C-alpha cells in the first residue's frame, strides 16, 4: 500500500503535493506500529490506512498523470533524506522517510527519482 501510494505520488502528486503526501505517510505510520499492536487490531488498522489513502487520493489527485522523471542511478536514499532535511518542511521529511522504508525493502531507481522530484517540489 505504501509503495503503491509512493509510486502514484510520482505521477499525480503535482496536483496537491502536501495533501497527497498523506496518502503515503498515513499507511506507512500504520505499518510501523503494526508489530506492537495486538494482531486482532491489524485488519482494522490496515483498513483505516487503505481508506485514508484512497480518500486523500480521490480528493486531491489531478485527473491526468504526468510523466515520471528518468531514473538516475546516481541517486541514493541518503540524498533523498538530505534534500528533505535541507528543505526543512515536515511533509518533505515524512514523505522521504516513508519512501526510504519502501526503497529499503526493494530498491527502485524510478521510484527514487520520482521521490526526489516530489521532495524538491515540496520546497516550492
Amino acid at each position: 500500500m505504501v509503495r503503491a501510494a509512493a509510486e502514484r505520488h510520482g505521477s499525480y502528486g503535482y496536483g496537491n503535493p502536501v495533501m497527497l503526501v498523506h496518502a503515503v505517510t498515513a499507511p506507512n505510520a500504520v505499518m510501523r506500529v503494526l508489530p506492537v499492536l495486538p494482531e486482532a487490531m491489524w485488519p482494522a488498522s490496515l483498513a483505516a490506512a487503505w481508506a485514508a489513502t484512497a480518500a486523500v487520493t480521490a480528493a486531491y489527485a489531478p485527473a491526468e498523470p504526468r510523466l515520471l522523471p528518468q531514473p538516475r542511478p546516481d541517486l541514493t536514499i541518503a540524498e533523498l533524506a538530505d534534500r528533505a532535511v535541507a528543505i526543512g518542511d515536515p511533509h518533505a521529511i515524512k514523505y522521504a522517510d516513508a519512501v526510504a522504508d519502501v526503497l529499503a525493502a526493494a530498491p527502485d531507481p524510478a521510484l527514487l527519482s520520482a521521490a526526489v522530484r516530489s521532495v524538491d517540489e515540496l520546497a516550492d
Side-chain angles (χ1 to χ4, degrees):
M1 183 181 342
V2 180
R3 177 177 288 278
E7 289 171 350
R8 185 162 180 85
H9 195 281
S11 297
Y12 292 88
Y14 76 94
N16 193 323
V18 171
M19 288 307 297
L20 287 166
V21 159
H22 297 104
V24 179
T25 59
N28 197 61
V30 171
M31 294 304 295
R32 285 186 172 177
V33 300
L34 277 183
V36 298
L37 292 177
E39 284 189 37
M41 293 180 71
W42 290 11
S45 298
L46 292 170
W50 176 252
T53 296
V56 168
T57 299
Y60 295 102
E64 297 295 325
R66 67 175 170 177
L67 294 175
L68 292 172
Q70 290 296 314
R72 290 184 30 212
D74 60 309
L75 290 175
T76 65
I77 295 172
E79 182 175 345
L80 173 65
D82 290 346
R83 288 169 103 131
V85 170
I87 289 166
D89 179 83
H91 293 94
I93 294 167
K94 291 186 301 182
Y95 173 75
D97 183 57
V99 173
D101 284 351
V102 169
L103 294 172
D108 181 345
L111 178 55
L112 181 55
S113 293
V116 166
R117 178 178 71 184
S118 293
V119 164
D120 288 346
E121 290 173 347
L122 286 164
D124 297 339

